[in-house]
Amino acid sequence: MIQYLDEKIANYEVCVILPSGYDQTKKYRTIYMHDGGETAKQAANYIDHLILSGQIEPLIVIGIEPINRNNDYTPWEAPSTTCFQI
């Protein structure tokens, strides 16, 4: 069964999704997903299907919710894209 853990790390909402049969003693590859926990949760069922059908190895998914999307995803302060007029 997939395990969902919601954490707050440095003011960011983080969703950690552990694969079915997660074992703390094993190492897992990890996917980091921007735009948060909901995106990661939406992908979790499909990823779990791929794992259970043997198409991919078990992995951990981490969804990170941005605080300010424009500033979090650019190395400089970005103006809002909603201000553009055409």
Side-chain angles (χ1 to χ4, degrees):
M1 175 180 237
I2 300 172
Q3 297 177 49
Y4 298 92
L5 307 170
D6 291 315
E7 301 286 334
K8 190 162 193 151
I9 301 172
N11 293 327
Y12 288 90
E13 296 293 331
V14 177
C15 177
V16 178
I17 302 171
L18 304 174
S20 298
Y22 174 75
D23 180 348
Q24 291 182 9
T25 64
K26 294 183 180 180
K27 292 185 178 185
Y28 293 89
R29 292 185 175 153
T30 304
I31 296 175
Y32 293 88
M33 298 184 71
H34 300 291
D35 288 332
E38 287 306 312
T39 303
K41 287 177 183 176
Q42 291 170 3
N45 285 331
Y46 184 65
I47 290 170
D48 195 47
H49 166 74
L50 294 174
I51 292 168
L52 294 174
S53 65
Q55 296 180 59
I56 63 173
E57 294 179 19
L59 53 87
I60 294 171
V61 178
I62 298 178
I64 304 166
E65 188 70 37
I67 295 171
N68 181 317
R69 194 173 194 279
N70 285 338
N71 291 336
D72 287 349
Y73 295 165
T74 55
W76 56 88
E77 190 167 329
S80 173
T81 57
T82 59
C83 295
F84 289 114
Q85 294 182 8
I86 298 177

